[in-house]
Amino acid sequence: MHVDFGEGKVSLVLVRTDLRYGFEKLASIASGYLDIDVMQGQDWVVFISKSRHTLKMIHADEKGSLLITRKLHHGCFQKLLSRIDGVAVKTLSKKELESYLDGEKIEVERSGFLVG
């Protein structure tokens, strides 16, 4: 999957979310709980379903709002961890996001100092 995310910041919400919600409710969650104002056009926010088989990504620009739904046919999106004292959001690079959208692992548990 290839998507041009432009110059915006990509934030992956680590808390599983009810994806029956549409753009307005997801943008409200991003704003109210995570202090991310999607309507400013600087952010892509990715929400993961409870089963981790589906995700929704929201974004807005001067022309309108965008909601992308991605459902994997096989497997599920990787479960990522967050710091105990941090927020439930992980910032991803554009390359990490593209890998994540394809169902690939972007984090590993290390067993050594130099290689996984």
Side-chain angles (χ1 to χ4, degrees), residues 18-89:
D18 185 348
L19 292 189
R20 293 179 288 181
Y21 297 144
F23 178 88
E24 295 297 327
K25 180 65 175 179
L26 293 174
S28 174
I29 291 170
S31 176
Y33 291 103
L34 306 170
D35 200 30
I36 300 172
D37 186 359
V38 178
M39 300 309 290
Q40 294 295 315
Q42 300 300 314
D43 294 280
W44 293 82
V45 184
V46 181
F47 295 90
I48 305 166
S49 70
K50 292 179 181 180
S51 68
R52 293 191 350 258
H53 291 106
T54 306
L55 65 73
K56 286 188 177 180
M57 183 175 358
I58 60 172
H59 177 71
D61 61 21
E62 66 278 354
K63 294 184 180 184
S65 57
L66 176 72
L67 182 137
I68 298 172
T69 301
R70 175 82 165 159
K71 182 172 180 147
L72 293 178
H73 294 297
H74 303 286
C76 59
F77 295 104
Q78 182 181 13
K79 182 178 184 177
L80 303 177
L81 302 176
S82 67
R83 297 181 52 86
I84 287 177
D85 59 349
V87 294
V89 174

